Amino acid sequence: MANRNNLKQSAPSKRKIIFVASECVPYAKTGGLADVIGALPKFIAGLGHTVDVVLPRYGRISREGLHLVAPSLSISMGENLKFCSVWQANQQPVTGLSLYFIDCPEYFEREELYGDKAGDYKDNAQRFAMLSRAAIEFSKRSDEAPDIFHAHDWQAALVPALLKTEYNGDWFFGKTCAVFTIHNMGYQGLFDSYALPAAGLPVHTFHSAGMEFYGQVNYLKGGIVYADAITTVSKKYSQEIQTPEYGQGLDGVVRERAADVHGILNGIDYSEWSPAIDPFIAQKYDPKNLEGKRDCKRDLLREFHMPEDLDRPLIGMISRLADQKGFDLVAQGIQELLATNASFVVLGSGDTKYQQLLQRISDLQPQRFGLRLAFDNKLAHKIEAGADIFLMPSRYEPCGLNQIYSLKYGTVPVVRATGGLDDTVEPFSSTTGEGTGFKFDDYTSSALLRSVREALDAFGQRETWNRLMRNGMARDFSWTASAERYLQLYETLLSRHAD
Ligand code: ADP
């Protein structure tokens, strides 16, 4: 048997891989998952493989631009038989990559992805059971079985669970392996036990070594337990989730699978996020010519109706407003933060409690604390380009994309040393001039303040700051290396399976 931890070196054959996920840019996005699903399949297909991506057709995704490929699939959900159709995007982003949409109006024809003001949609267990089941059933319409089903987060976690249980004896999937990627342990798809029959899951999955979790059904746990390999989106997070502090109750389950857990850092799609070609920013720039960044700063300050004081350091934040992201630290330290010479621009959407908290701060000092409570991709690009410093004080961060975008935009990250933030930001040393940003360990506002002050000191020294910006801009976090690592993992699994 192949050594489980040693990934094979080369990917000899052309493989067929099916990605199943609930988000993908430009169709549906609430966070980093969408960026990953919009990019990684392109890079895998670019290496000569066939990749299908299966997504829900939410209400916000128009049928224009799609064509019907399967008018009616019957999907068995427990005692109920449901129907869906499958649509394919007319545009193929790259050769070898096809995007498919599961169209089931009863479940997906809604304004939002997972819930509205009233909370999570009550039938999320069934909605995402439909996604996984339809992806599996649709794959059977093809002459060729997939080599790999690659499922992402709890919304697609039933793919590995179903393949290993209900579809276990299905000859069609005889050679198929399942990979499950955890983008965030904090979202598990936890439902009352009635979800099991409603989703038509085999009763024998409801035990502690299966999907049962303290009397409830836990979809994420199903992905972890039943997949052939589990990946998460940075090396550090793959270790953290095996500890009680970061495991969100599932650390023991992950430890059981430790030999099959891999940390593969997310890449960045530099065709979307690069100041040299970004269509959303006021002036393009690159490491050789940073002048344009000042224009971007001016433009950003105007956008927030703040004084155009270009010498005052500007700290940016772009984030889902969730407990994970460290806004409580910002709130605790706000007086000291505003006592520095920095101004802030914050773009966020999410929890009402954080909206209100940030609004109160902004109302007190609108000239110093610009706030936009929205999800606005264009403004996110403008902040990456126009801010001097990017603040990401996350309690935990599986990978984090914004700090990596920031590096490319010469916007120096100040981060908490957790998960992917720790793996991607190198501490700056004023003695050697090496490093790309500032990080702190303790989840306290005083530790955050120390790092912010360090960054502001460096900002005050023009030469030092230019060096710091250029160090970050020179780092390469493109998808190429990570896509290769996924392929190596697929090959290792397939050869183990064939043994
Ligand atoms: P997470 O997936 O936990 O939300 P990441 O840093 O991995 O965090 O990815 C967040 C992605 O979502 C980034 O592309 C970021 O620019 C984007 N994003 C987050 N909040 C907003 C917002 N309010 N407006 C626009 N883009 C946002």
Side-chain angles (χ1 to χ4, degrees), residues 31-236:
L33 170 67
D35 301 57
V36 175
I37 305 302
L40 174 59
K42 279 200 287 193
F43 283 81
I44 294 180
L47 292 168
H49 303 278
T50 304
V51 188
D52 293 349
V53 178
V54 182
L55 304 157
R57 192 195 69 76
Y58 300 108
R60 61 175 71 178
I61 303 174
S62 154
R63 288 194 189 93
E64 275 174 40
L66 313 179
H67 60 277
L68 189 61
V69 288
S72 181
L73 280 186
S74 55
I75 304 295
S76 145
M77 303 262 284
E79 292 184 346
N80 297 315
L81 200 58
K82 301 275 176 181
F83 295 89
C84 67
S85 55
V86 184
W87 296 67
Q88 183 178 2
N90 295 340
Q91 297 280 346
Q92 232 184 347
V94 294
T95 308
L97 172 59
S98 308
L99 301 177
Y100 294 102
F101 297 87
I102 304 302
D103 196 350
C104 181
E106 175 186 348
Y107 289 139
F108 298 126
E109 188 71 52
R110 302 184 192 177
E111 208 35 53
E112 297 300 331
L113 274 58
Y114 310 126
D116 52 24
K117 286 203 175 74
D120 288 349
Y121 292 135
K122 296 277 178 279
D123 54 355
N124 274 346
Q126 291 96 304
R127 296 174 74 224
F128 292 100
M130 163 60 82
L131 172 66
S132 294
R133 285 185 172 280
I136 294 174
E137 281 301 316
F138 179 58
S139 77
K140 293 185 72 172
R141 296 263 172 128
S142 164
D143 294 338
E144 194 198 345
D147 296 291
I148 300 286
F149 256 112
H150 191 157
H152 297 263
D153 275 350
W154 73 262
Q155 294 90 339
L158 293 194
V159 170
L162 288 167
L163 287 174
K164 285 289 148 50
T165 54
E166 192 173 315
Y167 289 85
N168 196 21
D170 191 323
W171 64 268
F172 187 76
F173 296 116
K175 66 163 188 176
T176 304
C177 293
V179 174
F180 181 58
T181 296
I182 302 168
H183 296 260
N184 194 330
M185 280 292 261
Y187 301 86
Q188 300 188 352
L190 204 53
F191 305 106
D192 285 344
S193 56
Y194 73 78
L196 205 77
L201 290 165
V203 178
H204 65 83
T205 60
F206 197 65
H207 61 89
S208 60
M211 299 180 66
E212 189 263 344
F213 186 73
Y214 298 105
Q216 290 188 290
V217 182
N218 187 320
Y219 277 24
L220 191 86
K221 186 179 173 196
I224 298 169
V225 168
Y226 292 108
D228 294 295
I230 301 105
T231 75
T232 187
V233 289
S234 68
K235 183 103 204 135
K236 178 97 185 249

Side-chain angles (χ1 to χ4, degrees), residues 7 36 40 43-44 47 150 233-234 263-268 399 476-490:
L7 304 183
V36 175
L40 174 59
F43 283 81
I44 294 180
L47 292 168
H150 191 157
V233 289
S234 68
I264 304 179
L265 192 72
N266 281 339
I268 294 302
C399 175
D476 181 5
F477 289 98
S478 59
W479 269 107
T480 319
S482 299
E484 287 279 4
R485 286 213 63 209
Y486 278 110
L487 278 165
Q488 288 163 10
L489 173 63
Y490 299 160

Side-chain angles (χ1 to χ4, degrees), residues 29-33 35 273 318-320 324-325 347-349 374-377 380 392 397 400-402 405:
K29 169 167 173 172
T30 67
L33 170 67
D35 301 57
W273 294 94
I318 304 162
S319 184
R320 285 186 299 112
Q324 171 199 345
K325 299 292 183 178
L347 168 64
S349 61
F375 194 94
D376 184 338
N377 183 46
M392 220 159 152
E397 196 59 72
L401 294 174
N402 279 114
Y405 302 151

